[in-house]
Amino acid sequence: MASFQNEVMQASSVMVFPSESDVPFSWFVSSLHRLPDAATFARSTGHAGEAAIRLNFDAFFDRHTQIQPWMDEGQQAFASRMQHLREVFQKHSQKLAVYRVGEIQVHIYIVAVVQGRVVGLETLSIET
C-alpha cells in the first residue's frame, strides 16, 4: 500500500480541485474493505443522511482529462495531471470509484481497493 500512497501523493501534490474553493487533495483511508453503495460510504465517512452518489471512475476522469482548445495553460496542465492520477489508480487496482457526498460543500473521494482497504484521495468542491 505504501507504494500506491506514495505514487498517488506525488501525482496529486501540486493539484487543487477546481471549484469556488480550490482545495488540495489529501490522502484518505477508510475502515471499509470493499466499495459500498453511496449511502453506506457517506455513513462511513461521517456524513450520514447527506446526499451521496457513487460515480463511475472512468466517467469522472473522462470529464476532467479532456483537453479543449479554449482551455488556458493551467486548465490543460490540470487535465494532464488528472490523466496521470487516473493511470496511477488503474495501475494499482481494478476496483475503483468516485463518491460525491454533500450538496453545496461536496466532499469528493477518489478511491481504490488496495490490499483489502478502501483508500485514495479526498477533496472538497464548493458548488453554490
Side-chain angles (χ1 to χ4, degrees):
M1 173 129 33
S3 172
F4 175 62
Q5 181 179 359
N6 290 337
E7 286 185 56
V8 166
M9 295 308 295
Q10 183 176 21
S12 65
S13 66
V14 296
M15 294 174 64
V16 295
F17 193 78
S19 77
E20 293 179 32
S21 59
D22 293 338
V23 173
F25 291 91
S26 59
W27 181 247
F28 169 77
V29 177
S30 80
S31 60
L32 301 168
H33 300 284
R34 61 180 179 81
L35 299 174
D37 62 63
T40 301
F41 187 85
R43 278 192 306 277
S44 77
T45 57
H47 301 284
E50 292 187 42
I53 58 173
R54 179 177 164 176
L55 303 173
N56 176 279
F57 180 87
D58 286 322
F60 174 83
F61 274 93
D62 285 348
R63 179 172 177 235
H64 294 289
T65 59
Q66 301 287 325
I67 295 178
Q68 303 294 332
W70 51 263
M71 290 179 162
D72 63 29
E73 287 181 26
Q75 292 167 316
Q76 291 178 15
F78 176 78
S80 294
R81 287 191 296 271
M82 285 295 281
Q83 180 59 37
H84 177 63
L85 187 60
R86 169 193 238 170
E87 292 165 0
V88 170
F89 271 82
Q90 290 172 328
K91 173 182 166 184
H92 289 274
S93 182
Q94 294 181 346
K95 296 176 182 173
L96 306 164
V98 176
Y99 294 92
R100 289 177 47 94
V101 181
E103 291 185 33
I104 294 173
Q105 291 191 17
V106 181
H107 297 266
I108 299 173
Y109 298 88
I110 303 170
V111 298
V113 178
V114 177
Q115 296 178 350
R117 297 287 306 268
V118 175
V119 297
L121 293 175
E122 173 185 8
T123 190
L124 181 68
S125 177
I126 304 297
E127 301 174 1
T128 58

